[in-house]
Each structure stands twice: as structure tokens, then as C-alpha cells.
Amino acid sequence: MSTDPFSLHGTTALVTGAGRGIGFQIARALSNQGARVVVGEIDHDNGPRAAEEIDGEFVPLDVTDSGRIAETVEYIVSTYGALDVSVHNAGMVRNEPAESMSDESWREVLGLNLDAVFYCCRETGKAMLRQGSGSIVNIASMSGIISNHPQAQVSYNASKAGVITLTKSLAGEWASRGVRVNSISPGYIGTDLLKQVEQTQPEWFGAWMEQTPMGRVGEPHELGPLAVFLASEASSFMTGSNVVADGGFTSW
């Protein structure tokens, strides 16, 4: 048995939305620490490539389909014997004024960012509760504790606030049965989407950097070690925590 509290050797992890960006970097970090990583991804192009790069396994997964999540968890447990870590990363943002947002747009964002995270927690939690152990890491956002400016994104902010409170609620329910639930709240991270915004909405990007004490965006790989920490025994006395990694944005 490893004496390294950050080691994930012998564990099996599921990472949703791991085909690129933050999810991929988290999957790679978990793999580098010895975890067998299942890439749960709806994208049939990026998913297999990501899994191959980290020597993991690609499983097609639409996280808005609770039945498919249950099937995926059953497959992982039957194939690998357990599900030790589950990172729920898939999400989306819509920048729309609240007064003109349709019911459909609101529900689509909440459906992926909050409902699907609950479905993933519920199904992976069942397996972990049967085992008597496990670590769930939900990817929330600093937008769950602030209201971003200057862009309008009420549905995203509300969904991520929900993820943070969902995390705390599940942590309280499951702590005595060996399952830990924590969340990571990134600030502005240099994904392909953010780089596109930098080109198309430079005034937004400039405002974000002015409001960030470190004066830069984070990089997706900087979140990988944080996910390893929360997944591993290094954080064994942490549950219900929301860890903010935002370059100091919320400190002002």
C-alpha cells in the first residue's frame, strides 16, 4: 500500500465531460497518480482521443440521461470491481439577459449544470455507499458565490450556486457512511471557449482581468492537482467543502 496520501493507485475514477479542457486535464492528473480513468463523454470524437492519451477507457455518456448514468456506473463496477472517484465536470454557459431568456434556454442550462450533476451524484453515490467508501468531486464555479460582470448569465450563476449547495447537502447525508463530496469552483480558465470570448468580446475579457488580482486566467492543468487532492486520502478529513481557485477574483 502506498504511503503517498496523493496516490490513486488501485482506484477507478469516472470523469464526465473529459474529452477536452478542464475535464481532460483532471482526467490526466488522476491517471498520472495511478487511477484507472473512465472518460464519460458525449463527444464521440474527443472522448476516444482523450481516453487513448491517458491510457483510460472511453464510455459514451449523456449526463442528462439518468438511466444511461446508472448503466455506466453498473458497467464500471462490474468491470473494475469498484468506483472510487467520480468527477462531475460536464457543463455549459449561456450569456443572455434574464428578461429575454426563454423557458427552454433556462431549463437547458439548469438541466445540464445542476440536474445532471445530481443524477451523477445519485448514481455514483449509490455504488460508493454500497462499498462504504468513495470521493465525489463536483465542478462548480466562482459564479456560484458571486454575480459576474459585465456579462449576463443568470442561469449559469444559479446552476452553479445549486451545485455548491447540492455538494454540501450530500456531504452531510453521506459522511457517516464513508462517502465524501466536495466541489471545486474555478474562476476564469483558459479553455477554448474563453479564448474565443477573448477574441469576440475583448471588453469582457479586459474587465475580467482587471477584477482578477493575479491579472491572468487560470490554465486547465492547474485544476488537475486540486482534483487529485480532493479525490485522494490527502483530503480525508474534508467533505462538504467548496474550494475556490480563481486567481483572487472573489477576494475583492
Side-chain angles (χ1 to χ4, degrees), residues 110-134:
L110 270 290
L112 179 58
N113 289 5
L114 182 56
D115 295 353
V117 172
F118 170 69
Y119 301 154
C120 286
C121 287
R122 181 182 64 192
E123 299 308 322
T124 61
K126 288 176 186 177
M128 292 177 180
L129 289 167
R130 288 194 296 268
Q131 298 164 185
S133 64

Side-chain angles (χ1 to χ4, degrees), residues 17-20 23-25 27-28 37 39 41 43 45-58:
R20 60 179 180 171
F24 172 69
Q25 292 297 337
R28 180 155 69 178
V37 179
V39 172
E41 174 63 66
D43 187 328
D45 293 324
N46 287 324
R49 283 198 295 265
E52 182 178 8
E53 186 167 340
I54 64 170
D55 195 26
E57 179 180 2
F58 165 64

Side-chain angles (χ1 to χ4, degrees), residues 2-33:
S2 174
T3 58
D4 178 3
F6 294 94
S7 174
L8 293 170
H9 283 278
T11 66
T12 301
L14 168 66
V15 183
T16 71
R20 60 179 180 171
I22 292 171
F24 172 69
Q25 292 297 337
I26 288 175
R28 180 155 69 178
L30 297 178
S31 178
N32 287 344
Q33 287 298 315

Side-chain angles (χ1 to χ4, degrees), residues 6 15 32 57 88 107 131 134 154 164 187 233 235:
F6 294 94
V15 183
N32 287 344
E57 179 180 2
H88 307 142
R107 278 285 1 129
Q131 298 164 185
V154 63
I164 293 169
E233 285 301 303
S235 61

Side-chain angles (χ1 to χ4, degrees), residues 64-207:
T64 65
D65 182 343
S66 61
R68 178 59 187 151
I69 298 166
E71 293 170 358
T72 299
V73 172
E74 181 180 358
Y75 167 75
I76 293 171
V77 173
S78 63
T79 302
Y80 297 104
L83 176 59
D84 305 290
V85 176
S86 195
V87 181
H88 307 142
N89 166 74
M92 66 182 298
V93 64
R94 289 261 175 85
N95 299 120
E96 300 176 271
E99 68 272 18
S100 58
M101 182 177 295
S102 68
D103 293 354
E104 292 75 19
S105 180
W106 169 267
R107 278 285 1 129
E108 187 173 3
V109 174
L110 270 290
L112 179 58
N113 289 5
L114 182 56
D115 295 353
V117 172
F118 170 69
Y119 301 154
C120 286
C121 287
R122 181 182 64 192
E123 299 308 322
T124 61
K126 288 176 186 177
M128 292 177 180
L129 289 167
R130 288 194 296 268
Q131 298 164 185
S133 64
S135 177
I136 292 172
V137 181
N138 295 322
I139 305 304
S141 171
M142 69 173 184
S143 302
I145 58 175
I146 62 167
S147 176
N148 299 66
H149 177 79
Q151 74 276 23
Q153 52 183 49
V154 63
S155 57
Y156 183 82
N157 297 353
S159 70
K160 292 302 184 176
V163 170
I164 293 169
T165 301
L166 171 68
T167 297
K168 293 179 180 294
S169 299
L170 294 177
E173 286 192 38
W174 295 345
S176 64
R177 290 183 278 171
V179 178
R180 299 189 297 114
V181 190
N182 293 290
S183 59
I184 297 173
S185 282
Y188 292 107
I189 305 296
T191 60
D192 291 341
L193 177 60
L194 187 136
K195 291 173 183 176
Q196 182 180 356
V197 172
E198 183 180 3
Q199 298 300 318
T200 60
Q201 301 281 357
E203 69 281 5
W204 288 8
F205 187 82

